[in-house]
C-alpha cells in the first residue's frame, strides 16, 4: 500500500512581508488611478483660481474692501508681487523659481503615489503651485515677475486667493496622512506583531 504524499506547506508570511495582493501590478493600477485623480483635482484648482481672479479683476476696485462676514472675511482686490503678508515684494523672481521647482517636484513625486487620499493632497498642492506659477510668468508687469491677484481678505490679517486655500488644505491633508501613517503608495499598511509563542 502506497503512502499518500501531502503537498509541502507554504512558509508562513511574516508581518514584514507585503500582502499578497500588493503586487507590482496592483501598485501600477493604483498609481494610474491616483495620477488621474491628481491631474483632475489640479485642473479644477487652476480653473477655479483663474476664473475667480478674472471675476475679481473685472468686478472689484483695487484696495476697496467689501465685507462678507463682518470683519472676519471680506473681498479686497490687490496685486501681490511677494508672498504671503507681502513678503519680499521686490524679489518676485524668487517666487517664480520657487513655484517652478514646486511644480517639478510635485510631478516627480506623483509617480510614487498610489493612495487616493495622498492623490487628493498632491492634486491640491499641484493645482495651487501651477496657477501661482502661471501668474508669475504671464501677468503684469513682465514675464517671470508677474503679480499674483489676491482678493479674499481674512480678518485684516492677509489677503489671498483660491490657490492659497488649495495649498493650505493640501498641506494640512498631507500632514494628517503622514501622522496617521498612511503609505504614499497605498495598499495595505504593514504592521509589526509579535509572533505567537508555542504554548
Amino acid at each position: 500500500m502506497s503512502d499518500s504524499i501531502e503537498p509541502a506547506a507554504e512558509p508562513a508570511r511574516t508581518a514584514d512581508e507585503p500582502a499578497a495582493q500588493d503586487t507590482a501590478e496592483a501598485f501600477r493600477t493604483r498609481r494610474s488611478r491616483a495620477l488621474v485623480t491628481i491631474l483632475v483635482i489640479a485642473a479644477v484648482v487652476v480653473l477655479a483660481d483663474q476664473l475667480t481672479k478674472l471675476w475679481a479683476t473685472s468686478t472689484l476696485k483695487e484696495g476697496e474692501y467689501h465685507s462678507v462676514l463682518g470683519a472676519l472675511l471680506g473681498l479686497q482686490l490687490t496685486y501681490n508681487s511677494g508672498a504671503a503678508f507681502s513678503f519680499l515684494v521686490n524679489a518676485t523672481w524668487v517666487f517664480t523659481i520657487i513655484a517652478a521647482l514646486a511644480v517639478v517636484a510635485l510631478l516627480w513625486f506623483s509617480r510614487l503615489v498610489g493612495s487616493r487620499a495622498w492623490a487628493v493632497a498632491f492634486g491640491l498642492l499641484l493645482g495651487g503651485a501651477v496657477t501661482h506659477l502661471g501668474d508669475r510668468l504671464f501677468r503684469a508687469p513682465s514675464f517671470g515677475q508677474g503679480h499674483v491677484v489676491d482678493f479674499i481678505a481674512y480678518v485684516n490679517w492677509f489677503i489671498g486667493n483660491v490657490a492659497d486655500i488649495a495649498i493650505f488644505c493640501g498641506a494640512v491633508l498631507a500632514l494628517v496622512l503622514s501622522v496617521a501613517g498612511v503609505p504614499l503608495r497605498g495598499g495595505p499598511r504593514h504592521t509589526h506583531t509579535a509572533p505567537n509563542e508555542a504554548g
Side-chain angles (χ1 to χ4, degrees), residues 80-149:
N80 187 4
S81 60
F85 313 106
S86 298
F87 179 65
L88 288 178
V89 294
N90 295 320
T92 304
W93 59 272
V94 173
F95 298 103
T96 303
I97 295 175
I98 292 174
L101 292 176
V103 170
V104 172
L106 287 166
L107 288 173
W108 175 263
F109 285 105
S110 292
R111 303 177 306 111
L112 308 177
V113 178
S115 162
R116 293 181 181 178
W118 274 107
V120 172
F122 268 72
L124 291 170
L125 292 170
L126 180 61
V130 166
T131 192
H132 270 321
L133 178 60
D135 283 354
R136 297 300 186 188
L137 291 177
F138 302 116
R139 288 192 182 274
S142 62
F143 180 80
Q145 299 193 54
H147 294 180
V148 173
V149 176

Side-chain angles (χ1 to χ4, degrees), residues 68-84:
V68 175
L69 290 175
L72 297 177
L73 183 68
L75 300 174
Q76 183 176 346
L77 177 63
T78 184
Y79 297 90
N80 187 4
S81 60

Side-chain angles (χ1 to χ4, degrees), residues 51 57 79 99 115 126-127 129 156 167 174:
L51 286 178
T57 54
Y79 297 90
S115 162
L126 180 61
N156 294 323
I167 291 173

